[in-house]
Amino acid sequence: MTAFEPYFTAEIEPALSGMETQRERLAALKRARMKFFNLSITVVCGLASIALGYHFDSFVVFLGAAMSCFIAVVLFQDQITQVLLRNDGLTNLQFQYKQEIVSKIVKYQGVDWSYDPFGSISESDLKQSELFQIGSNTYVKTDDVIQSKLGEQDILIANVTTRSNVNSDGAHRRNQSAQDFKGVLVQLTLASDSPLANGCAFIVPKAKTIKSVGGLADMTFKRDPSISKSRQKANNLKALAAGTGGYTWHLGMTSRQDSLVTFDSSGDNLKDYSLHCDNKAMFEQLTNNQGLNALLSNDFTNQQALDDLSETASFQLLDKRLFDDVMQTTLTFAIHSGCVWVLIPAFEDKFELDLDYKLDKTSVLRVLKDIQLATRCVIPFVKSNH
């Protein structure tokens, strides 16, 4: 593989500068429209609340009307802004970004790497991994499919979002028991003579803290007097990142649960993960896999991201990309049926253009890093590495 610097200069940078000009224009439009909406709604809500309060002669009615209008704005102003931006060229810019930038980043991995921004994975293929709960009420979106080979083994990388809802008493409500997921799915076919090809195992993070992103600001101010404030904030953020999105795999998600045994991994480098295997030999193969041990050890944690997050004063100032870097260290594996599947959680869509961030070499390197991370997660299962 050639050095990335000359490749970026020759293949990517020329197209990037023109797109950045368009991004800046759309970002300015977005900011202007958000300010306009906020100002307009403030005036309208204020006048409406005063009128209602005066008519009904009630402060409660006045306060209720003001709060109702405010909530309506919060819920819908972003959607309205996005619709207007799509009409102003956001959709075309997104398409151009994927076709001209992301595709070239993928090609940097090798000529045999392919990228289809509109590619998809069928629900039946997702179910085969036994990492998802997908029913008739489940929203499923897959796109940005990358395919290649690692040696003789096929690798597939794709964005996946699943979200379950139920209708209850005529209302469309979130199913709190569902295992929703947002992030990247990696699939690798195992070599036919792999010692893992005929077994079954699931590797799952222990003690995942399931909390809403909305609780982030409060968490950062909960302190343990024995450690520094910045380290406590970093610890809280790491714990929160491990559970954001509500996804936690459990034995009930696989039809093989009766044949699986939960092995104790507290004495080895996989101590932060639970290993559910159908035989002792499978467990030993995994715990003796040096590449897997390195991947799931504490050394894999992005310490710089944690340090940067610890300096964040509030959730409003949080760089979402740093939050993603922490979440990526929480991996879930399924190994069975001749394949390995890995789930890498994400706070953001990995290959979408974000108007809030400048299009430059740094943004390109982040996409490249995401692809390389997905590859790194299955390298321990490539034939020449185990």
Side-chain angles (χ1 to χ4, degrees), residues 44-205:
V44 172
C45 289
L47 292 175
S49 299
I50 292 172
L52 287 171
Y54 178 80
H55 179 74
F56 290 99
D57 194 24
S58 170
F59 177 75
V60 174
V61 172
F62 167 81
L63 186 62
M67 289 300 297
S68 298
C69 292
F70 176 77
I71 292 171
V73 173
V74 171
L75 290 176
F76 297 111
Q77 69 173 349
D78 189 57
Q79 288 87 334
I80 295 171
T81 302
Q82 287 298 317
V83 169
L84 293 174
L85 287 172
R86 285 197 289 270
N87 291 333
D88 289 323
L90 178 60
T91 301
N92 291 336
L93 183 59
Q94 288 277 20
F95 177 75
Q96 184 184 4
Y97 173 74
K98 291 190 176 189
Q99 291 285 49
E100 298 185 22
I101 304 301
V102 178
S103 63
K104 290 179 180 178
I105 298 172
V106 172
K107 282 297 181 185
Y108 173 70
Q109 296 294 107
V111 294
D112 58 339
W113 285 69
S114 66
Y115 169 63
D116 183 358
F118 304 109
S120 62
I121 304 173
S122 68
E123 289 188 14
S124 59
D125 286 341
L126 291 178
K127 289 179 180 178
Q128 184 185 2
S129 70
E130 302 194 17
L131 291 173
F132 300 95
Q133 289 181 317
I134 299 176
S136 59
N137 63 330
T138 306
Y139 166 82
V140 178
K141 177 187 176 184
T142 60
D143 58 7
D144 295 304
V145 175
I146 300 171
Q147 297 185 76
S148 186
K149 283 183 176 292
L150 298 180
E152 296 300 317
Q153 297 169 241
D154 295 325
I155 180 175
L156 180 147
I157 304 168
N159 263 331
V160 176
T161 300
T162 66
R163 184 174 65 250
S164 298
N165 297 279
V166 292
N167 287 316
S168 175
D169 299 327
H172 197 56
R173 299 177 183 173
R174 174 83 174 274
N175 182 356
Q176 299 296 336
S177 65
Q179 295 298 315
D180 296 352
F181 176 78
K182 180 178 182 181
V184 172
L185 170 69
V186 190
Q187 178 181 339
L188 179 78
T189 57
L190 289 168
S192 58
D193 58 348
S194 169
L196 303 175
N198 297 316
C200 175
F202 293 87
I203 306 174
V204 187

Side-chain angles (χ1 to χ4, degrees), residues 221-334:
F221 297 107
K222 293 180 180 178
R223 288 202 57 200
D224 179 345
S226 65
I227 63 176
S228 68
K229 182 177 180 180
S230 62
R231 179 50 48 199
Q232 182 65 44
K233 290 171 70 175
N235 291 343
N236 288 338
L237 286 162
K238 183 179 180 182
L240 180 64
T244 299
Y247 179 87
T248 307
W249 187 89
H250 57 81
L251 286 169
M253 295 171 67
T254 174
S255 60
R256 308 163 192 266
Q257 59 179 309
D258 292 339
S259 64
L260 295 175
V261 177
T262 301
F263 288 88
D264 181 13
S265 58
S266 59
D268 55 59
N269 289 337
L270 303 181
K271 61 184 179 181
D272 291 330
Y273 286 78
S274 296
L275 277 71
H276 308 280
C277 308
D278 62 355
N279 60 76
K280 181 70 173 179
M282 191 77 167
F283 170 76
E284 292 175 350
Q285 284 285 340
L286 294 171
T287 54
N288 292 330
N289 187 316
Q290 294 182 359
L292 182 63
N293 274 265
L295 187 68
L296 302 183
S297 70
N298 288 332
D299 293 337
F300 185 66
T301 300
N302 190 326
Q303 191 60 49
Q304 183 60 53
L306 283 175
D307 291 341
D308 291 344
L309 281 171
S310 71
E311 301 304 319
T312 302
S314 69
F315 178 68
Q316 287 71 27
L317 300 177
L318 180 68
D319 184 336
K320 295 180 289 185
R321 297 171 299 181
L322 291 174
F323 195 63
D324 235 10
D325 288 342
V326 180
M327 293 181 64
Q328 287 175 344
T329 63
T330 306
L331 309 173
T332 303
F333 292 77

